[in-house]
Amino acid sequence: MGCEKKSPWVIHYDGSSCNGCDIEVLATLCPGFDAERFGVINTGNPKHADILLVTGSVNEQNEAVVRQIYEQMLEPKAVVACGACACTGGVFADCYNVKGGVDKAIPVDVYAPGCAVRPETLIDAVVAGTEVLERKARGLAACGKEGAPWA
């Protein structure tokens, strides 16, 4: 069973950021940086998305939401932590309600650091996310079932 390449569809979730990274995510998807040239399509439905882009840190209020979006996505899927806050909690890491980066709630496949993260870094992260998707798809095909452990 061969592994097909396809255009990655992304869904973006703003955890609790200052909106700096959100603006950069939107700039990446707009004609200026044109992530569409790699086939990247933004969707609002987790069931259609291959890659989850998360900006901002994880806190008590949004942890369940981040998990719910992740669980609604079909396998194979990849998660990109966009910006310093999503990677580690950033400047908000010591706040009373901040648990830390996205990896405190769900598994993260690609880290895209920066404050705010640059569009070039986001493009590189999404391309790396597509490589993660390909590896995971090969793992699913090799095992012949969904939910198999990845090689």
Side-chain angles (χ1 to χ4, degrees):
M1 186 176 214
C3 198
E4 293 181 18
K5 287 190 178 186
K6 64 178 197 153
S7 296
W9 284 33
V10 300
I11 186 167
H12 169 233
Y13 177 73
D14 172 15
S16 59
S17 72
C18 69
N19 293 328
C21 290
D22 300 313
I23 292 168
E24 298 300 325
V25 167
L26 295 175
T28 303
L29 297 171
C30 287
F33 289 94
D34 195 22
E36 258 188 51
R37 68 179 175 227
F38 300 110
V40 177
I41 303 292
N42 190 29
T43 182
N45 188 340
K47 291 178 173 66
H48 296 163
D50 303 305
I51 300 174
L52 173 59
L53 304 176
V54 183
T55 56
S57 58
V58 171
N59 60 41
E60 297 289 336
Q61 295 294 314
N62 69 11
E63 183 178 18
V65 175
V66 171
R67 282 195 183 127
Q68 183 179 25
I69 293 170
Y70 178 78
E71 290 167 1
Q72 288 178 4
M73 293 173 66
L74 303 176
E75 295 290 346
K77 57 190 167 191
V79 176
V80 177
C82 304
C85 294
C87 292
T88 64
V91 296
F92 304 108
D94 293 329
C95 292
Y96 71 95
N97 66 331
V98 172
K99 291 189 163 195
V102 178
D103 56 5
K104 300 294 183 191
I106 58 175
V108 173
D109 299 296
V110 180
Y111 292 88
C115 184
V117 63
R118 308 253 326 137
E120 297 89 351
T121 305
L122 285 171
I123 290 171
D124 290 344
V126 170
V127 170
T130 59
E131 293 167 3
V132 168
L133 288 172
E134 290 173 21
R135 283 197 309 272
K136 288 182 177 184
R138 281 195 302 271
L140 284 175
C143 293
K145 61 182 179 180
E146 197 170 323
W150 314 119

